[in-house]
Amino acid sequence: MLGWGGVAAAGAASGGAQLVGARPAHAAPAAVGSDTVPPETRPGGAYDRYVAKLAADGTFSGVVMLSHRGRTVLSRSYGMADKERGIRNHPGIAFNLSSAGKPFGPVAVLQLVQQGKLHLWDTVGTHLKGFAKEIADQVTLHHLLSGTSGLANPPEDLERVFHSRAEVREYSESWARQAKLVAAPGTPTEHAGPEIAIPAMIVEAVTGTSYWDYVEENVFRRCGMTGTGYFTRPQWLTDRHIAHSYMRQADGSLVDAVRNLDKGSPDPYQLGKNPARTFVDAPGDGGFATAPDLVRFAHALLDGTLLDRHYAELLTGPKIPHAPQGGGLARGAAVPVDASFGAYQMPVGIVDGQWLKGRAGVNPGSFASWNIYPDTGWVGVVLGNQDGAPFPEIIAAEMRAVLGTAGNRAE
């Protein structure tokens, strides 16, 4: 949908495709600054009924939330956070974010840029050792954050089970240092993991603390995100406020990814991947968050809590134009997209005449999306913990409801 795991949604486990380029007639967009609350967004509206039907059919387990100018308009929770212990999903449950947590890294970097401790033109070699000379001398922080590094992913050990934070950190750093430059810096790169890992390493080098600790202190706590964190596998197993991820197996059954480390995903792209194997998400990626906390994060990006206004604009400002691609909305549920761009580890786009900014992510058994509609003050969150839900279509339904698009096809 809108690039890199999407403003709108991620396609399969890869993290997404861009919004379909179909261009049905636009509904008249709401005026900038409008206080209008479209009926489709309200309890009992089209979006609410659509998600409720998915839940009733057993295809959606999770939380959806719509907020308008800081006021919750819709909040619904369905399914079980932990079936074995009989814990239901509710707004206080934290879900695995996967790629939806990637923008926390650029926020951390820009905080340090704002303080004069980093510059976006700094090369990798300015702060780190052990990288190939062409990477150390040519690839800048801007290249990494904007997805234009020219780097390729090194091979991964998809079967490895990690047992400590130190082990995850050591592996992530070693893996990133094996990256190869396969195109000139400035060339758009598709899903290059070193673009996530290396800025996190630079944050650690400059601050003298772990990436996880820095982000928890300077992003989550500053926003009041009390239910959000980089939780470890033991916490995932024992904390009643963290949703377990239920993966679909080849025989159609669902298994608890946290309690079944030996179970992988039937998706060939994700073969062998199980989010519980990582012990804690690698620096620069993932994390867990509740829906209300993601709304708080969205508002904190806009009101100066996290970054001064100009740096917040720099974070979400369009950097690279994306060409429309077929993808998750291929069954005719497309919302018209006027333009789509890559920003700093998040896509942004103009949809129905309004800016749309956010990020989504998918792991086996979980998916997450947070979208900001800055022109009209809306924030939408979708968090799920079960494979099989039509994630792209749910996000498309959210978009149509918030945009007030005529002919809502969510039902």
Side-chain angles (χ1 to χ4, degrees):
M1 296 176 53
L2 284 180
W4 305 353
V7 166
S14 64
Q18 292 165 348
L19 255 174
V20 175
R23 297 294 301 273
H26 289 203
V32 173
S34 171
D35 287 323
T36 301
V37 176
E40 293 86 352
T41 64
R42 297 178 182 272
Y47 180 57
D48 188 17
R49 297 196 303 273
Y50 171 65
V51 177
K53 185 176 186 304
L54 292 176
D57 292 342
T59 57
F60 176 74
S61 173
V63 173
V64 296
M65 183 168 287
L66 295 176
S67 170
H68 183 240
R69 304 198 183 286
R71 181 175 67 89
T72 300
V73 175
L74 181 69
S75 177
R76 297 296 192 209
S77 304
Y78 298 99
M80 305 300 292
D82 185 340
K83 296 179 182 180
E84 184 172 290
R85 291 191 288 177
I87 301 170
R88 300 194 63 82
N89 283 321
H90 58 79
I93 293 288
F95 291 76
N96 181 253
L97 294 176
S98 185
S99 293
K102 283 183 168 68
F104 300 146
V107 170
V109 169
L110 288 177
Q111 286 178 341
L112 298 173
V113 170
Q114 189 175 291
Q115 297 166 25
K117 297 177 180 178
L118 289 174
H119 303 94
L120 291 171
W121 59 80
D122 289 349
T123 62
V124 172
T126 304
H127 302 283
L128 301 174
K129 297 179 179 179
F131 285 86
K133 180 175 173 54
E134 61 269 22
I135 296 174
D137 293 348
Q138 298 180 52
V139 177
T140 68
L141 261 174
H142 170 75
H143 291 141
L144 295 166
L145 298 183
S146 62
T148 61
S149 67
L151 296 174
N153 284 323
E156 295 182 71
D157 183 355
L158 300 181
E159 298 297 330
R160 181 169 176 176
V161 176
F162 295 86
H163 301 282
S164 69
R165 283 180 173 239
E167 190 178 346
V168 171
R169 184 173 177 270
E170 179 184 4
Y171 175 85
S172 178
E173 290 192 5
S174 174
W175 177 79
R177 287 192 170 93
Q178 298 173 47
K180 304 292 184 184
L181 194 65
V182 296
T187 303
T189 312
E190 185 71 18
H191 300 297
E195 294 176 340
I196 308 301
I198 297 173
M201 293 168 65
I202 292 174
V203 168
E204 293 187 336
V206 170
T207 63
T209 189
S210 77
Y211 172 86
W212 302 300
D213 289 343
Y214 179 89
V215 172
E216 287 185 341
E217 177 68 28
N218 295 280
V219 179
F220 301 159
R221 292 181 188 174
R222 193 178 294 187
C223 297
M225 299 167 69
T226 56
T228 297
Y230 292 105
F231 303 133
T232 64
R233 187 168 66 244
Q235 289 175 293
W236 203 353
L237 281 166
T238 59
D239 194 321
R240 297 175 63 88
H241 297 90
I242 306 175
H244 286 224
S245 297
Y246 291 91
M247 300 186 301
R248 183 80 61 185
Q249 297 300 286
D251 63 2
S253 64
L254 288 168
V255 298
D256 184 333
V258 194
R259 293 189 174 100
N260 293 274
L261 291 178
D262 59 328
K263 303 294 185 182
S265 167
D267 181 350
Y269 183 87
Q270 292 281 292
L271 187 62
K273 286 191 177 181
N274 180 327
R277 286 193 173 106
T278 61
F279 189 84
V280 66
D281 278 311
D285 207 351
F288 295 79
T290 67
D293 277 358
L294 289 173
V295 172
R296 293 183 183 100
F297 174 71
H299 285 296
L301 283 179
L302 303 176
D303 66 10
T305 298
L306 288 173
L307 295 165
D308 290 349
R309 178 172 61 88
H310 294 99
Y311 285 92
E313 291 171 349
L314 178 60
L315 173 75
T316 62
K319 309 293 190 299
I320 314 161
H322 287 161
Q325 299 176 1
L329 296 183
R331 290 203 293 270
V335 175
V337 54
D338 302 303
S340 176
F341 305 90
Y344 277 165
Q345 289 305 333
M346 58 189 293
V348 300
I350 302 172
V351 181
D352 243 19
Q354 297 185 38
W355 278 112
L356 177 59
K357 306 180 179 187
R359 183 77 206 229
V362 175
N363 262 338
S366 62
F367 51 88
S369 166
W370 52 272
N371 283 333
I372 303 171
Y373 303 79
D375 291 337
T376 49
W378 284 90
V379 177
V381 176
V382 179
L383 298 171
N385 67 319
Q386 176 181 299
D387 281 343
F391 185 35
E393 286 84 352
I394 296 172
I395 308 305
E398 173 203 290
M399 293 166 65
R400 286 191 299 273
V402 169
L403 296 168
T405 306
N408 193 302
R409 301 177 61 175
E411 299 177 274

